[in-house]
Amino acid sequence: MAATRSDTACKTALLVVDMQEDFCPPNGSLAIEGGRALAPTINKLLSLPYALKIATKDFHPNDHVSFDTSHTPPHNKPFESSVTITNPLNPTESQEIPIWPVHCVQGTKGAEIIPEIDASKFDLIMEKGKDNMVEMFSAFADVFGNKSGAASLDLAALLRIHNVHRVHIVGLAGDYCVKCTALDASKEGFEVFVVNEGVGSVNKGREGWEAVLKEFQIADIKVVSIEGPEITALT
């Protein structure tokens, strides 16, 4: 039997990733070209009857390990330098992460969701990247796969409590936080759809968004249009 519209809505959540001032022109410290222009598409999705509508926010302390200001020259050049961090739950495990400009610091304007997004439609806003020593791109876990105080809630558990089986994902940036959120959602067992018109990337080329699309294909994550049947089934 085909799913009814109400069945589809009750099983589907919308995740809006990191639509924050620091990721958007004209003044964002880590602005992604065209980021602010995604708002109409995202607002259209927010008007649909999803079971849950969740926004994520980078919400860093001012001494976050990924910030250029947390390191000394010449090893602190944004987009060029990197730093090795250690898993706080397993000191034998480490990972190299990029150095970024200071962004989305707790209590600053840069951490706010842009006003063009109708934030009144969100059921909740979750904060991630709160641990100063750990990077967290995904809304589900940090870069080591830990679910800890780096996030304000356990997103996978919340979705399961609400009987969500499917997620639609939009936001910034396609080649970082959107990618990692989508991949982790798939690992958690959710059916994942990324809405193409609602995503902006740092790198739109072969080493950025194009490479992400290949990762999505391997993980059986579907990239769909806002005009496609996966979205219109909700209307």
Side-chain angles (χ1 to χ4, degrees):
M1 181 184 293
T4 66
R5 291 179 180 181
S6 59
D7 287 340
T8 301
C10 77
K11 295 178 180 178
T12 307
L14 176 66
L15 306 182
V16 178
V17 178
D18 297 2
M19 288 298 299
Q20 294 165 266
E21 286 287 355
D22 267 344
F23 294 134
C24 292
N27 300 316
S29 63
L30 195 46
I32 295 158
E33 181 181 358
R36 198 173 295 269
L38 301 177
T41 294
I42 293 172
N43 285 334
K44 183 175 180 180
L45 292 169
L46 283 169
S47 72
L48 299 177
Y50 286 96
L52 280 177
K53 302 169 188 178
I54 300 171
T56 75
K57 292 173 58 174
D58 260 9
F59 205 62
H60 297 310
N62 60 15
D63 61 346
H64 193 261
V65 67
S66 71
F67 291 169
D68 56 347
T69 54
S70 296
H71 306 278
T72 56
H75 307 294
N76 66 340
K77 296 178 181 178
F79 311 108
E80 296 180 23
S81 301
S82 60
V83 62
T84 299
I85 61 173
T86 301
N87 184 345
L89 302 184
N90 179 7
T92 66
E93 183 181 6
S94 62
Q95 192 167 142
E96 194 171 281
I97 62 166
I99 295 292
W100 304 109
V102 175
H103 63 278
C104 302
V105 172
Q106 299 169 13
T108 68
K109 181 176 176 59
E112 295 175 2
I113 293 174
I114 60 172
E116 291 85 354
I117 297 290
D118 185 0
S120 68
K121 298 288 182 64
F122 291 122
D123 295 298
L124 62 91
I125 298 173
M126 72 160 292
E127 300 160 350
K128 61 187 179 68
K130 298 173 68 176
D131 185 327
N132 68 327
M133 294 306 295
V134 180
E135 182 62 282
M136 187 172 183
F137 297 121
S138 169
F140 288 89
D142 67 27
V143 292
F144 297 107
N146 300 327
K147 299 180 181 182
S148 64
S152 59
L153 55 84
D154 182 336
L155 181 56
L158 177 75
L159 294 175
R160 292 187 181 106
I161 287 169
H162 288 270
N163 197 35
V164 167
H165 303 286
R166 181 184 305 110
V167 292
H168 292 173
I169 302 175
V170 290
L172 301 169
D175 43 345
Y176 286 95
C177 294
V178 169
K179 178 188 83 168
C180 293
T181 296
L183 290 171
D184 277 357
S186 180
K187 290 175 185 175
E188 291 282 356
F190 299 101
E191 187 179 11
V192 184
F193 297 86
V194 175
V195 184
N196 190 52
E197 297 93 333
V199 175
S201 297
V202 175
N203 182 339
K204 299 177 177 63
R206 285 188 300 176
E207 296 181 358
W209 184 236
E210 291 180 17
V212 172
L213 294 178
K214 293 178 182 178
E215 290 188 65
F216 283 173
Q217 187 174 20
I218 293 169
D220 199 28
I221 293 168
K222 305 296 191 299
V223 179
V224 300
S225 170
I226 194 170
E227 304 298 336
E230 300 86 0
I231 307 302
T232 57
L234 290 162
T235 61

